[in-house]
Amino acid sequence: MKIDPTEDSHPLSTHASATLTEPEAEYSHYDHGPNLSQAQYIPLATLPLQAVDANYPKLLLIVSIAIALLITLVINIFGLINPDIPTSVTLSILPCYALLALIVIKLIHLKAKRIAYGVFEHELVLREGLFWVSTTALPYTRLQHVNLSQGPLERRYSLVTLKCFSAGSGVAEIDLPGLNADFAEHLRQHLLAKAANSHLSQTGDTITSLQDKTPFVQQAVTEHHGEDSAHG
């Protein structure tokens, strides 16, 4: 007896591929929605972000000035106790250092004033930076826990730093300083509540999706066993 080479000699493989058509068809019917043009995108620059507490730039300004004065004092003491360094050299260094310190202090103050954040329906957004601006968006579905920290100087001005951690990350995804202490605690509870609701909603959607696909899987398995019995 001659075997036609055009005939499939592997009926099981043909059958296996045929049984996958219905689940694959289910995925192909996913509605992606209309294709958006660039004009329909939400411009990031128009996000309604709000600045941190006004005391935070003031605090950094005070700390920066204190550090600069301390360094100036150290330079003067070092010049006085070291006789090998002429006084003229020390006096020539101080104006250059003062100018550099003034520029650095001004940049630190401006950078603190540029920190902004937004609490939205589905995510928390942080924007920071002076020359290199960074924008971070953390969806509530990825938010695991929120931490509040407060140093001694921050306590003097009733400020705290809010840190948000995501799943599988050992460092804070969002490090937001300069928040009022009372407001920060309210915000922490709000973020945790939003994260809990998002996780429950995501779990419910996953279960519903699995339940919707179960009939197709069961039908494919039943047809597969039925044809195996027929071949046997």
Side-chain angles (χ1 to χ4, degrees):
M1 181 182 66
K2 295 183 179 180
I3 300 178
D4 188 356
T6 60
E7 293 182 358
D8 190 357
S9 59
H10 300 283
L12 291 179
S13 61
T14 304
H15 173 70
S17 61
T19 58
L20 296 177
T21 55
E22 292 187 0
E24 289 175 353
E26 176 68 15
Y27 291 121
S28 66
H29 290 313
Y30 175 76
D31 184 12
H32 295 275
N35 187 17
L36 300 180
S37 64
Q38 187 174 359
Q40 295 175 291
Y41 295 171
I42 300 177
L44 191 59
T46 61
L47 287 174
L49 304 180
Q50 62 187 49
V52 296
D53 195 283
N55 285 327
Y56 180 66
K58 185 189 304 183
L59 173 61
L60 289 189
L61 183 62
I62 295 173
V63 172
S64 301
I65 294 176
I67 293 175
L69 293 176
L70 180 61
I71 295 176
T72 304
L73 180 62
V74 171
I75 293 175
N76 289 327
I77 293 176
F78 183 77
L80 291 175
I81 65 175
N82 195 339
D84 296 333
I85 301 178
T87 305
S88 59
V89 175
T90 304
L91 294 177
S92 63
I93 291 176
L94 286 177
C96 297
Y97 167 73
L99 178 61
L100 178 62
L102 183 62
I103 294 174
V104 172
I105 290 172
K106 184 61 176 178
L107 291 178
I108 291 175
H109 184 253
L110 290 176
K111 183 179 179 182
K113 294 180 67 175
R114 291 290 298 272
I115 299 176
Y117 67 96
V119 183
F120 298 97
E121 180 65 24
H122 303 292
E123 62 186 5
L124 175 67
V125 177
L126 169 65
R127 180 179 296 170
E128 57 184 346
L130 190 58
F131 300 109
W132 291 271
V133 180
S134 172
T135 302
T136 304
L138 179 61
Y140 300 136
T141 53
R142 294 183 54 223
L143 181 61
Q144 289 295 311
H145 66 278
V146 183
N147 179 42
L148 296 179
S149 61
Q150 185 181 55
L153 294 178
E154 290 178 313
R155 192 177 301 112
R156 171 68 178 81
Y157 288 89
S158 188
L159 298 174
V160 297
T161 298
L162 183 139
K163 297 182 179 182
C164 298
F165 296 85
S166 64
S169 176
V171 296
E173 289 277 344
I174 287 184
D175 193 334
L176 177 58
L179 296 179
N180 178 268
D182 296 333
F183 169 75
E185 176 58 29
H186 188 189
L187 178 59
R188 185 186 72 86
Q189 296 181 14
H190 172 77
L191 295 177
L192 291 176
K194 295 291 290 184
N197 292 335
S198 298
H199 294 162
L200 289 175
S201 176
Q202 191 176 37
T203 303
D205 292 342
T206 302
I207 294 175
T208 303
S209 177
L210 291 175
Q211 291 176 344
D212 292 340
K213 292 178 175 57
T214 299
F216 295 100
V217 177
Q218 291 178 344
Q219 181 179 0
V221 172
T222 302
E223 293 178 356
H224 178 71
H225 285 300
E227 296 194 7
D228 284 347
S229 301
H231 286 296

